[in-house]
Amino acid sequence: QVQLVESGGGNVQAGGSLRLSCAASGRTFSMYAQGWFRQAPGKEREFVGSWKRDRIEYADSVKGRFTISRDNAKDTVYLQMDNLKPEDAAVYYCAAYVYGDSAWSSWGQGTQVTVSS
């Protein structure tokens, strides 16, 4: 089992920045990937980006604006969001993919991000 806690959400002006954190605990040694998803009202959950082993991936919609980093000693992954747009507003979720599983199996509670214009 892996437990995930997100933090750092809030309200920001368009063009501004936020930094989200996802702290993992439990069987963190078994994590293959730690990633970010988001879901806006009326829309399906969307992949944002992820750390997989030591490689990082991003959705096309956030490339060049969002940056993922990881503090391995703290088992914490960060999502630095710059040049935020109104369409970035959503609940952001952290998830973990565990070795041996076939899907993202652990999820955080989500943190709200709103963008005002």
Side-chain angles (χ1 to χ4, degrees), residues 2-116:
V2 174
Q3 293 79 48
L4 303 169
V5 179
E6 304 101 330
S7 62
N11 193 328
V12 66
Q13 292 279 326
S17 299
L18 281 175
R19 189 193 192 205
L20 306 184
S21 299
C22 172
S25 60
R27 300 185 67 191
T28 57
F29 64 90
S30 66
M31 288 193 300
Y32 175 80
Q34 197 170 348
W36 290 98
F37 296 77
R38 66 187 183 186
Q39 188 167 22
K43 296 184 178 180
E44 295 183 355
R45 186 168 294 180
E46 175 189 22
F47 173 78
V48 175
S50 66
W51 166 88
K52 295 182 179 179
R53 294 186 179 179
D54 58 351
R55 306 190 73 176
I56 296 172
E57 299 177 354
Y58 299 98
D60 288 341
S61 60
V62 305
K63 285 182 179 178
R65 299 188 299 118
F66 291 10
T67 304
I68 289 174
S69 60
R70 192 171 195 270
D71 185 335
N72 293 325
K74 296 181 178 180
D75 288 319
T76 297
V77 67
Y78 303 94
L79 181 65
Q80 177 67 44
M81 304 184 292
D82 296 319
N83 192 24
L84 282 160
K85 303 176 180 179
E87 53 263 42
D88 294 318
V91 176
Y92 282 71
Y93 297 91
C94 184
Y97 204 110
V98 178
Y99 286 105
D101 284 358
S102 59
W104 298 90
S105 58
S106 299
W107 295 84
Q109 81 288 348
T111 185
Q112 178 73 55
V113 172
T114 58
V115 183
S116 59

